[in-house]
Amino acid sequence: MKVVVDDLTHPEVHALLREHLAGMHAHSPPENVFALDLSRLKVPEVMFWTAWDEAELLGCGAMKELDATHGEVKSMRTAAGHLRKGVARKILDAILAEAGRRGYSRVSLETGSTAAFVPAHTLYAQAGFVRSGPFGDYSPNDFSVFFTRTIGQA
């Protein structure tokens, strides 16, 4: 498995992002879906990664710079046929490594609160994230769970 910084031009990546958005809308009300679409991922403050096995897309993830010391994990998605194979963890590790290179003091994220998001909660807890309150422009709501992690901690 190879994780690379991606330019968001590959049709398979576009398809995975559409799948990601559909999944978010299937498990959260529209006003509580904060996933970024393709156009909102193609901005200077967002860095995007994909994981590949040869020519097969395994998953994706992104980090948005909130300020000079704080990043946000965005658009984490593993392709359906590759769940539970460590894809998301490899992408998350790449994101955290980049956060360290940038000198961020912390990385935060918002994810859903329903049963469909329990695997994500487990992944983030295993990676050293702890539940937190809203950050950035988020407000408390029944469909979001917030996590944060100090950089330099496992």
Side-chain angles (χ1 to χ4, degrees):
M1 176 185 333
K2 183 176 182 182
V3 176
V4 297
V5 175
D6 196 283
D7 65 4
L8 291 151
T9 58
H10 198 286
E12 283 187 57
V13 173
H14 298 178
L16 185 60
L17 289 170
R18 285 191 300 273
E19 178 185 322
H20 178 59
L21 286 168
M24 298 303 98
H25 283 279
H27 297 289
S28 298
E31 66 273 13
N32 295 108
V33 174
F34 303 108
L36 300 179
D37 64 14
L38 183 62
S39 67
R40 291 176 35 207
L41 288 167
K42 288 184 170 184
V43 296
E45 62 271 17
V46 175
M47 188 170 195
F48 186 79
W49 290 262
T50 50
W52 299 85
D53 180 8
E54 306 267 333
E56 186 174 9
L57 179 61
L58 307 177
C60 64
M63 181 172 61
K64 178 180 179 182
E65 182 170 285
L66 299 177
D67 63 43
T69 64
H70 192 189
E72 179 182 4
V73 175
K74 299 294 293 182
S75 301
M76 291 286 294
R77 186 68 172 198
T78 300
H82 298 286
L83 296 171
R84 315 290 180 267
K85 295 180 182 178
V87 174
R89 182 59 194 249
K90 290 273 191 190
I91 294 169
L92 185 58
D93 288 347
I95 291 170
L96 294 172
E98 178 63 23
R101 280 190 290 280
R102 292 182 181 193
Y104 290 173
S105 59
R106 73 181 173 130
V107 175
S108 301
L109 63 96
E110 179 276 339
T111 190
S113 64
T114 64
F117 296 96
V118 169
H121 297 182
T122 301
L123 167 71
Y124 298 129
Q126 289 173 346
F129 284 81
V130 294
R131 285 189 184 220
S132 66
F135 60 92
D137 294 333
Y138 292 105
S139 299
N141 68 78
D142 292 337
F143 294 94
S144 291
V145 177
F146 303 96
F147 289 87
T148 196
R149 178 188 153 163
T150 301
I151 299 302
Q153 296 179 344

